[in-house]
Amino acid sequence: MIPKFLKKRIFTAPVTTDSTTTTDGNPVASTPYAKAPINQLYRKLSGQLLDVAVKPKLLGELPEFDADDQTLIFYVLQDYSRSNSILIDLQTQEHRLPPALVGVNDAAHRIKENAAIVFLNHPHAKDTPLSPRLSRLVSAVLQYPELKVRLVPVSILWGRAPEKEDSLFKLLTADNWEDPSITKQLFNIGVMGRDTFVQFHPPQDLRTIIHTHLKDDTEDSDLVDAASTDLKDPSENVTNSDNKQDDAATPHYALVATADSNRELVRTIQQQLAIYLDKQRASMLGPDLSDRRNLVDKLVYSPAIKHAIEAEAEKTGTSVREARLLAKGYANEMVNDYSHSIVRGFYKFLTWLWTQLYDGVEVHHFERVREIATDYELVYVPCHRSHVDYLLLSYVIYKSGLSIPYIAAGDNLDVPVLGPLLRGAVAFYIRRSFRGNALYTAVLREYMHTLITRNTPIEYFIEGGRSRSGRLLPPKMGMLAMTVHSQLRQTNKPVVFIPTYIGYERIMEGGTYVGELKGKPKESESLIGLLKVGRKIERIFGTVHLSFGKPLYLSEFMQKFDVSANSLPTDRTDTPLDDKTSAMVDNIGVKVMQHINKAAVVTPVSLLSLVLLSAPKAALDEESCREQIALYQGLAQQLAYSDDTVITDMSPQQIIDYGIKLKLIERTPHILGDIIQIAGKQAALLSYFRNNILHVFILLSFLAALVARNGRMERSRLDSIAEQLYPFLQSELFLYYPAHGLADTINKKVDTLLSHGLIVELSDGMLSVPESNSKCYQQLQVLATPVGQSLERYFMTLALLAQQGSGNLTESEVVDLCHLLGQRLSVLYADDIPDFFDRALFTSFISALTRLDYLQKDEETGVLTFDHRINDIAHHAKYVLTPDMMQILHQVASLDDSEITHAITEISNKKQRKFGRKR
């Protein structure tokens, strides 16, 4: 049954095969097929020549087809050219896909095509821009409900340089609807042949496409039903034998385009496919580039910066011209100067470098980025582990077929030689601190706004700096707020944030990080320093992992916080964000960190670190080590932290051998069984990799510690203690479990421990440890250890506050004193593990206490006040910490007034000397 809105505008005609068909009402024509033997010889010779000159690189994943499926496969190209046709044919042969330049013959549906390629812009469509082959396929699908046709859009890039606006090179290589000349094709082959890229996009069902458009064009629901009936799934189309005999005796007729019917349908489908390929091309190349000088001028003379310049001139008493020159200087400091030749050079160099340094670079969940790249403004927000992050993420994105993002880099990297190279590849430079500089802030906001409205992918490290401990640092909201500010000024594409986890198995700056945590002066952050470190370390760095977390859509946060789009003036950069929007920015920052942790990769090295650092003397016999590793793998897989979390599939023995290969652990032979222990001076470094995945196991460790330290505990008691202490663990490790559903989470974790025999459930909801001489008991003790260090820091901080009393210390003084106490505790009792003296962890704990209103901060003096509830928190720590450890922490935190005064004075003098060196 044909929809009524088509009945008035269509007629039937025999399906064309290899002869030219013209009618008064049908301007679409197909050309006669060439003689097959000549075609085959031409294609063979051309293919051999092209195969020598062109070495295409495949981007993305290959489409999958069912070998037994009767579906007809056609590849869709934007423009016709002989070189593109042959290139696709070579690629389909190489990757064992349905061939592109082989005739498609389906007698049952009267389809006879000399190739399986649809050109959207075809030179033989003289009187209409419609593709002849696409028109015939649409007609056939409309007539035959059982016919299956799938279209595979294909992108071919002869070079990946973004186009320059008003570029002569762009004019020379631009595609048009005419048959590309031999000269142009030879130019592409000769100049771009070694820089050619091919990407097969996901197949699209032609019948589904047609049905969607017919349904969209139908206003009456009855007509929709009619269209649905006419286009129903072939599996539901049942015909009897008589009908089949009639079909065999009667010539088939297809719906073909007239001036106002099928032609409109074909045009709509063709436009959809063309837009799809255009978007894919844009996502791979990025937007057209402006000349850097022109971009700087556009920034300086934009309405927003004009206003900022006038405000600066009025504020400082200088002339507008001087303020404009200052703004131009700021713009020149930061603006990127993209050069594709530099990008290609970096790509080749890094391809070589990664093979020298790493066993491999593993990428997880990148397909979710590719799926949204065409329709969203991508903002990558990775964690920051190393200077290598800058290059590694850009390399993976470029290799995977998307345009590389512009990276907000600290101006400390803008050094001679290296600085211009990074600026020409990925970086735009920003100052480490510009608080109070209104004009600089305005220029940076306007530059960010320009990048976002031009649909340029952006990357910035939301932590602000590299993590020295392996944990995520609290998010810095500055760049995040600028992104939101831009989106609220003007909406082009909607913004989506891509949380990205980066995990190493050895890190070049590891020794430097430990030194800085211990109090050594911070070294200048530069790639030159990184290369110096790299020369000192053996080139055994294991495998690097990049895992792309679930995208966070800004529009969803705006809806949640009731923030209106386009709510800020377009010609101003200094409009403040209201309270709702500020709260939204803070929420986005926390969600980004949580999603980075969700995408964590539990690597062999991080598992080894977690196991051995929890064992007495950082050593286990090899059998126990294997069993503990297997236990952690089982726990992580049985109750996954998140669907995005990746667990290594190495066996426990392979993990141990791998750690020995990386020289992080060592095997000591013994007649009663070999001993696995941490290699000399590696414990501090291994704590870094343990902290990468600590969040995955922290609640299991917490519950294990509660039962292990008390012998027995009621299940309901676990919930109340967890409710009291969980917010601090959540704040430190960015756990995503909501507090209102914590009881259910705790119950699932307890059930997991019970299933592995690590705890035993007695009558009346009582939980108990296993037999003390059992293997499960020893495993429980090891599992219970990791959470202890966090709770020890909490207790030490609370003990210091209680001992000094309310209203006597400021936040910075508490953090500084805890840092000193942690250093002392680490040297005396904890094998110099950096976790005890990481200043960021104490800052996070104080912030959590303030947010939860356990501490109150005086706005003028910064002094902290509190009440008896501080002691209540400390009271709960006794359920996890041993009496001996609590006594040690009390002693360490006990400082008299003279010691406090001396310590604060020394810290203040040290900060002043450090500030003087920076200046």
Side-chain angles (χ1 to χ4, degrees):
M1 183 176 182
I2 301 172
K4 296 177 182 178
F5 76 100
L6 279 179
K7 280 186 176 181
K8 299 178 181 179
R9 302 180 297 173
I10 59 176
F11 67 91
T12 58
V15 178
T16 61
T17 56
D18 60 343
S19 60
T20 302
T21 302
T22 59
T23 68
D24 294 337
N26 179 24
V28 180
S30 62
T31 58
Y33 295 135
K35 300 299 182 181
I38 298 177
N39 263 349
Q40 294 302 321
L41 178 62
Y42 167 76
R43 290 168 180 168
K44 183 176 181 180
L45 293 176
S46 300
Q48 291 175 348
L49 292 174
L50 197 68
D51 194 36
V52 173
V54 178
K55 299 298 180 184
K57 302 174 183 65
L58 184 69
L59 301 175
E61 304 294 329
L62 288 170
E64 296 182 359
F65 303 107
D66 188 348
D68 298 328
D69 196 355
Q70 299 300 313
T71 302
L72 303 182
I73 305 299
F74 286 84
Y75 302 95
V76 180
L77 298 182
Q78 185 81 275
D79 301 289
Y80 173 82
S81 79
R82 296 175 181 84
S83 54
N84 283 351
S85 303
I86 297 170
L87 179 60
I88 290 300
D89 190 51
L90 292 173
Q91 288 293 290
T92 55
Q93 293 178 37
E94 178 181 347
H95 300 294
R96 298 183 179 180
L97 298 175
L101 288 183
V102 173
V104 179
N105 297 298
D106 185 352
H109 303 107
R110 298 296 183 88
I111 292 178
K112 185 177 182 182
E113 302 290 344
N114 67 341
I117 302 178
V118 173
F119 298 103
L120 300 181
N121 301 323
H122 199 289
H124 295 151
K126 300 296 184 182
D127 301 320
T128 177
L130 300 187
S131 166
R133 182 164 289 146
L134 181 60
S135 300
R136 294 193 293 270
L137 291 175
V138 170
S139 299
V141 169
L142 281 172
Q143 181 178 1
Y144 298 102
E146 74 280 2
L147 176 61
K148 299 179 183 179
V149 176
R150 301 184 81 184
L151 304 178
V152 182
V154 183
S155 295
I156 300 178
L157 302 178
W158 296 91
R160 286 182 65 183
E163 296 171 335
K164 295 277 188 178
E165 295 176 348
D166 305 323
S167 166
L168 178 62
F169 182 81
K170 178 179 177 180
L171 294 176
L172 176 63
T173 60
D175 294 322
N176 52 49
W177 284 6
E178 298 179 357
D179 189 357
S181 65
I182 296 296
T183 302
K184 181 185 291 187
Q185 294 184 56
L186 290 176
F187 176 85
N188 282 339
I189 294 171
V191 177
M192 303 293 187
R194 301 286 170 165
D195 194 29
T196 302
F197 301 85
V198 176
Q199 181 170 0
F200 294 88
H201 302 292
Q204 301 182 25
D205 180 65
L206 181 55
R207 183 174 303 280
T208 301
I209 297 173
I210 293 172
H211 183 251
T212 299
H213 288 294
L214 292 181
K215 188 173 182 179
D216 290 343
D217 288 343
T218 303
E219 298 178 357
D220 191 328
S221 60
D222 292 337
L223 299 184
V224 174
D225 294 338
S228 302
T229 302
D230 206 36
L231 299 172
K232 64 184 178 180
D233 190 290
S235 63
E236 299 175 5
N237 183 50
V238 181
T239 57
N240 57 39
S241 58
D242 292 337
N243 289 339
K244 292 182 179 179
Q245 292 175 0
D246 291 341
D247 289 343
T250 305
H252 284 271
Y253 289 88
L255 300 175
V256 294
T258 67
D260 60 351
S261 57
N262 279 18
R263 185 172 62 184
E264 295 302 321
L265 177 61
V266 173
R267 177 181 288 112
T268 302
I269 295 173
Q270 184 166 318
Q271 287 176 345
Q272 175 184 324
L273 292 170
I275 291 172
Y276 177 86
L277 286 172
D278 284 341
K279 287 183 175 181
Q280 296 296 334
R281 180 182 179 86
S283 71
M284 290 186 277
L285 297 182
D288 287 358
L289 299 178
S290 291
D291 178 79
R292 185 171 186 269
R293 184 179 60 183
N294 291 336
L295 181 54
V296 169
D297 288 341
K298 289 179 181 177
L299 278 176
V300 173
Y301 287 97
S302 66
I305 300 303
K306 280 184 178 181
H307 179 274
I309 289 171
E310 293 170 357
E312 178 74 11
E314 182 179 352
K315 176 182 176 182
T316 60
T318 59
S319 67
V320 171
R321 180 178 181 277
E322 290 174 327
R324 181 178 294 111
L325 289 175
L326 183 60
K328 190 169 185 178
Y330 291 155
N332 276 310
E333 280 184 30
M334 63 182 69
V335 171
N336 179 281
D337 189 19
Y338 185 94
S339 168
H340 185 62
S341 59
I342 292 179
V343 171
R344 286 188 63 190
F346 264 116
Y347 179 76
K348 293 179 179 180
F349 168 71
L350 293 176
T351 300
W352 169 83
L353 182 64
W354 302 149
T355 59
Q356 299 297 311
L357 294 179
Y358 302 116
D359 292 335
V361 178
E362 294 192 6
V363 182
H364 310 275
H365 311 309
F366 188 76
E367 67 282 351
R368 61 178 29 148
V369 182
R370 194 192 311 280
E371 289 173 359
I372 62 176
T374 58
D375 298 316
Y376 288 88
E377 164 65 18
L378 300 181
V379 178
Y380 298 91
V381 276
C383 60
H384 202 5
R385 312 288 197 201
S386 165
H387 276 309
V388 177
D389 300 344
Y390 294 99
L391 304 175
L392 186 65
L393 182 54
S394 295
Y395 175 85
V396 167
I397 293 170
Y398 185 82
K399 185 178 181 181
S400 300
L402 297 184
S403 60
I404 59 175
Y406 284 20
I407 303 176
D411 60 354
N412 57 301
L413 295 179
D414 192 11
V415 296
V417 181
L418 181 62
L421 286 176
L422 290 177
R423 189 189 295 274
V426 296
F428 65 92
Y429 294 111
I430 60 175
R431 297 180 179 181
R432 304 290 291 182
S433 177
F434 47 88
R435 184 183 298 274
N437 190 335
L439 184 58
Y440 184 92
T441 303
V443 174
L444 178 56
R445 282 183 175 178
E446 186 65 15
Y447 181 51
M448 284 282 291
H449 184 61
T450 300
L451 294 178
I452 291 172
T453 54
R454 289 170 61 85
N455 303 325
T456 305
I458 296 174
E459 172 191 336
Y460 46 76
F461 296 99
I462 193 171
E463 296 167 280
R466 293 168 293 159
S467 170
R468 267 63 175 176
S469 67
R471 290 174 170 85
L472 295 180
L473 300 176
K476 307 293 186 182
M477 302 302 182
M479 296 296 290
L480 199 60
M482 288 187 187
T483 305
V484 172
H485 195 280
S486 172
Q487 184 82 119
L488 298 184
R489 285 175 61 189
Q490 179 181 350
T491 301
N492 191 357
K493 283 185 177 181
V495 166
V496 61
F497 299 99
I498 310 295
T500 307
Y501 175 91
I502 303 176
Y504 299 90
E505 293 180 336
R506 290 198 71 167
I507 194 164
M508 292 184 180
E509 303 101 318
T512 303
Y513 288 173
V514 174
E516 291 177 8
L517 286 173
K518 289 182 178 180
K520 291 182 180 180
K522 181 180 177 181
E523 295 185 6
S524 176
E525 297 187 26
S526 68
L527 281 176
I528 292 177
L530 175 62
L531 294 176
K532 289 180 181 178
V533 173
R535 288 186 304 176
K536 301 176 184 178
I537 302 177
E538 294 179 79
R539 293 180 176 178
I540 306 176
F541 292 98
T543 302
V544 186
H545 297 266
L546 276 83
S547 183
F548 294 86
K550 181 182 178 183
L552 296 171
Y553 299 91
L554 179 55
S555 58
E556 294 181 359
F557 286 93
M558 292 171 63
Q559 183 177 5
K560 175 182 176 182
F561 285 85
D562 193 25
V563 175
S564 302
N566 302 319
S567 56
L568 298 181
T570 60
D571 59 347
R572 297 284 293 272
T573 63
D574 58 351
T575 309
L577 301 178
D578 60 25
D579 291 341
K580 288 192 303 183
T581 308
S582 297
M584 179 184 74
V585 171
D586 292 339
N587 187 249
I588 294 173
V590 173
K591 292 298 182 183
V592 166
M593 308 310 285
Q594 291 177 350
H595 278 66
I596 289 174
N597 266 347
K598 281 185 176 183
V601 180
V602 180
T603 66
V605 170
S606 59
L607 266 182
L608 273 174
S609 304
L610 184 63
V611 168
L612 291 177
L613 287 174
S614 301
K617 304 297 182 181
L620 286 171
D621 68 83
E622 188 161 356
E623 182 179 357
S624 297
C625 188
R626 285 195 300 266
E627 291 173 346
Q628 196 74 26
I629 292 172
L631 171 66
Y632 283 11
Q633 286 179 302
L635 291 172
Q637 291 166 352
Q638 179 177 339
L639 186 60
Y641 181 77
S642 166
D643 292 339
D644 289 345
T645 306
V646 180
I647 313 295
T648 178
D649 58 0
M650 281 189 181
S651 69
Q653 187 61 56
Q654 288 174 328
I655 290 175
I656 292 173
D657 294 339
Y658 188 64
I660 294 173
K661 172 190 170 184
L662 295 180
K663 300 184 178 180
L664 296 171
I665 62 172
E666 54 192 18
R667 178 187 284 114
T668 302
H670 193 276
I671 192 170
L672 296 180
D674 293 351
I675 303 297
I676 301 299
Q677 60 186 1
I678 294 175
K681 298 183 179 180
Q682 295 295 321
L685 290 176
L686 286 182
S687 70
Y688 186 96
F689 304 111
R690 174 200 60 189
N691 293 341
N692 289 172
I693 64 164
L694 189 57
H695 62 281
V696 176
F697 298 94
I698 195 67
L699 278 187
L700 290 169
S701 178
F702 176 67
L703 297 172
L706 283 174
V707 178
R709 301 293 181 261
N710 296 277
R712 291 186 178 186
M713 181 168 284
E714 293 181 357
R715 197 161 184 164
S716 58
R717 184 66 175 145
L718 289 180
D719 293 339
S720 62
I721 298 174
E723 182 180 357
Q724 183 79 31
L725 297 179
Y726 173 74
F728 307 111
L729 293 173
Q730 182 183 37
S731 177
E732 176 184 331
L733 296 172
F734 295 100
L735 305 178
Y736 75 91
Y737 306 115
H740 60 78
L742 184 61
D744 290 338
T745 301
I746 294 297
N747 284 331
K748 291 178 182 178
K749 300 288 184 182
V750 170
D751 290 341
T752 301
L753 294 175
L754 287 169
S755 68
H756 285 268
L758 297 174
I759 57 177
V760 179
E761 187 166 20
L762 306 177
S763 59
D764 300 327
M766 183 70 71
L767 301 175
S768 173
V769 297
E771 294 292 333
S772 59
N773 60 350
S774 67
K775 179 180 66 176
C776 288
Y777 181 83
Q778 300 303 322
Q779 290 179 332
L780 177 68
Q781 296 299 324
V782 174
L783 179 60
T785 300
V787 74
Q789 292 179 354
S790 294
L791 296 179
E792 287 162 10
R793 283 194 311 275
Y794 301 162
F795 186 84
M796 184 177 67
T797 305
L798 295 171
L800 176 67
L801 287 169
Q803 193 258 344
Q804 295 303 315
S806 176
N808 291 318
L809 295 175
T810 66
E811 179 179 353
S812 61
E813 289 172 346
V814 172
V815 172
D816 289 337
L817 289 171
C818 287
H819 176 66
L820 289 177
L821 296 175
Q823 287 179 328
R824 186 175 182 83
L825 180 68
S826 177
V827 172
L828 292 175
Y829 304 105
D831 298 325
D832 215 15
I833 297 299
D835 285 45
F836 282 99
F837 47 82
D838 183 358
R839 192 183 301 272
L841 298 179
F842 293 111
T843 301
S844 173
F845 181 55
I846 296 297
S847 297
L849 288 170
T850 305
R851 187 181 68 254
L852 297 170
D853 200 37
Y854 288 102
L855 294 178
Q856 295 79 41
K857 182 178 179 179
D858 187 276
E859 294 297 333
E860 295 183 1
T861 64
V863 171
L864 299 176
T865 57
F866 51 88
D867 55 27
H868 65 89
R869 291 176 299 158
I870 288 291
N871 294 324
D872 294 340
I873 303 174
H875 174 74
H876 284 86
K878 73 177 185 180
Y879 292 104
V880 180
L881 302 179
T882 64
D884 289 345
M885 177 53 66
M886 292 182 68
Q887 180 63 29
I888 290 172
L889 293 173
H890 265 301
Q891 291 177 352
V892 169
S894 297
L895 300 174
D896 58 31
D897 293 343
S898 61
E899 290 174 320
I900 291 285
T901 302
H902 175 70
I904 291 176
T905 301
E906 287 298 314
I907 292 170
S908 177
N909 292 337
K910 185 176 180 180
K911 288 181 178 179
Q912 289 179 1
R913 290 193 298 270
K914 181 177 180 181
F915 179 72
R917 284 196 302 269
K918 285 186 176 182
R919 294 190 64 182

